[in-house]
Amino acid sequence: MGFPGLVLRVNPLFLLVLLLFFFVGMIKEALIAFTIVFLHELIHIIFARQLGYSFTRLELFPFGGMAEYKGLLEMEPIKEIIVSMAGPMANLLAFAFLLFYQLTTHKQNEILQIFINYNLIIASINLIPALPLDGGRVLRGLLVLKIGFKRGTLAAVKISKYIAFICGVFALLAIVFARSNIWILCLAFFVYTAALKEEKQILYYFLRFLTQRSDFLGDMKVKELAGEVVDISLPVREAVYYINPSRYNLFFVVDKGDISGIITETKLLKTYFCHHKKDILIKDILSV
């Protein structure tokens, strides 16, 4: 299977890690680590292509990779969960198969053992529920299904920051007491900075999603319904963030505890894009 147009880039941090491996005489480990990380990302790309997404750029990090693709995978939580889980599951399957082979053949091969160890390490790290790791994307997908894209992503970013902070403190304490190496600290820094980047891109992702929402609604045959209760004084520009991307949305408008009416997401989006006055309130379009 070819991947025309895909640009592969190795992050400088990954190059530094590979160079360190070479300098300390761990050439085999360096090459195997690169191979496993590349295959891990290749599995993501294959699954994404099967779900209709094409990748344009792949950047490899020591703990995995980050890909740029055409479309908004973040806005399709089920697909994001499938694509995200594909990489770690492939590593775990490889780990189980190689370990089974080693135990049944009784072979003590150094290269085989490195493949076993590194597949388990890469899978374990990527299952940590912190963005941009695969576990974090699975967490984000589950949260988006439950509470919508903006709130789901913000919650996932917040959890990621907490995990990065805890890992960073643990790594620093372990280094001080000579009980660990610096790689946990690098992972914590990587997760925290990437989580900040995800947070900054929320508006960009969401605006792209809104501009493509009409295609989703036009192709809709049968979809699950999502309902949100919103206050009558809520600005429209804030209400759109409550749209659940995988469902059709109805907004139940509440005024002093009573239901004043219902607004469809179609009407909400039309108001958002057609009105120049972006501070228009829900109550202003309730009877329009």
Side-chain angles (χ1 to χ4, degrees):
M1 180 184 294
F3 300 97
L6 177 64
V7 177
L8 177 64
R9 180 177 183 269
V10 180
N11 186 270
L13 179 60
F14 198 0
L15 290 175
L16 177 61
V17 171
L18 292 176
L19 285 174
L20 288 175
F21 272 53
F22 275 106
F23 280 127
V24 298
M26 300 173 65
I27 298 176
K28 291 190 294 288
E29 288 85 347
L31 295 176
I32 290 173
F34 181 87
T35 301
I36 292 175
V37 169
F38 178 74
L39 292 176
H40 173 100
E41 295 305 320
L42 196 61
I43 293 296
H44 284 310
I45 292 176
I46 291 172
F47 270 75
R49 282 173 64 93
Q50 292 300 313
L51 294 173
Y53 288 87
S54 59
F55 284 76
T56 57
R57 183 172 176 268
L58 174 62
E59 184 171 2
L60 297 180
F61 291 87
F63 316 107
M66 294 183 68
E68 295 179 3
Y69 44 85
K70 296 178 180 178
L72 287 170
L73 187 59
E74 297 86 357
M75 292 298 178
E76 298 194 66
I78 297 298
K79 291 183 179 180
E80 182 173 39
I81 291 170
I82 292 172
V83 173
S84 299
M85 286 299 296
M89 290 301 101
N91 289 126
L92 290 176
L93 286 173
F95 164 78
F97 173 79
L98 293 173
L99 183 62
F100 177 78
Y101 174 78
Q102 183 187 57
L103 294 175
T104 54
T105 60
H106 304 288
K107 288 189 176 181
Q108 298 300 322
N109 184 288
E110 181 186 5
I111 293 180
L112 176 62
Q113 189 62 53
I114 295 172
F115 266 104
I116 291 173
N117 294 343
Y118 276 46
N119 269 293
L120 181 59
I121 291 171
I122 294 298
S124 300
I125 290 175
N126 275 280
L127 286 174
I128 296 173
L131 291 169
L133 301 174
D134 295 327
R137 297 192 180 280
V138 171
L139 173 65
R140 194 252 299 276
L142 293 173
L143 289 171
V144 169
L145 280 173
K146 185 71 175 177
I147 58 178
F149 176 73
K150 183 181 181 182
R151 289 182 293 168
T153 300
L154 285 175
V157 166
K158 193 172 186 178
I159 293 170
S160 301
K161 288 179 179 179
Y162 283 140
I163 291 175
F165 178 77
I166 293 170
C167 287
V169 171
F170 172 78
L172 287 173
L173 290 174
I175 290 171
V176 168
F177 291 100
R179 297 293 182 183
S180 180
N181 56 46
I182 201 171
W183 299 118
I184 298 177
L185 189 60
C186 290
L187 176 61
F189 177 77
F190 170 71
V191 168
Y192 192 85
T193 54
L196 288 177
K197 183 178 179 181
E198 289 282 344
E199 187 175 24
K200 291 177 180 177
Q201 289 181 322
I202 288 177
L203 180 59
Y204 166 73
Y205 287 145
F206 199 73
L207 288 177
R208 282 185 60 195
F209 159 70
L210 291 181
T211 58
Q212 298 174 18
R213 188 66 173 174
S214 58
D215 294 333
F216 168 84
L217 298 177
D219 296 337
M220 183 175 62
K221 298 296 185 291
V222 177
K223 282 288 180 183
E224 292 185 37
L225 186 67
E228 289 286 349
V229 177
V230 297
D231 189 80
I232 197 168
S233 62
L234 185 71
V236 168
R237 67 173 181 273
E238 293 183 21
V240 293
Y241 282 111
Y242 289 86
I243 291 176
N244 188 314
S246 61
R247 294 174 171 84
Y248 186 77
N249 299 260
L250 293 179
F251 294 85
F252 297 87
V253 183
V254 175
D255 183 17
K256 298 179 181 179
D258 296 322
I259 299 291
S260 298
I262 300 174
I263 296 176
T264 65
E265 77 165 82
T266 305
K267 185 174 183 179
L268 188 72
L269 290 175
K270 183 178 180 181
T271 302
Y272 181 79
F273 285 112
C274 293
H275 283 255
H276 297 294
K277 190 178 180 182
K278 294 300 182 182
D279 58 349
I280 189 171
L281 305 179
I282 289 291
K283 65 181 180 181
D284 298 325
I285 63 170
L286 190 58
S287 58
V288 176

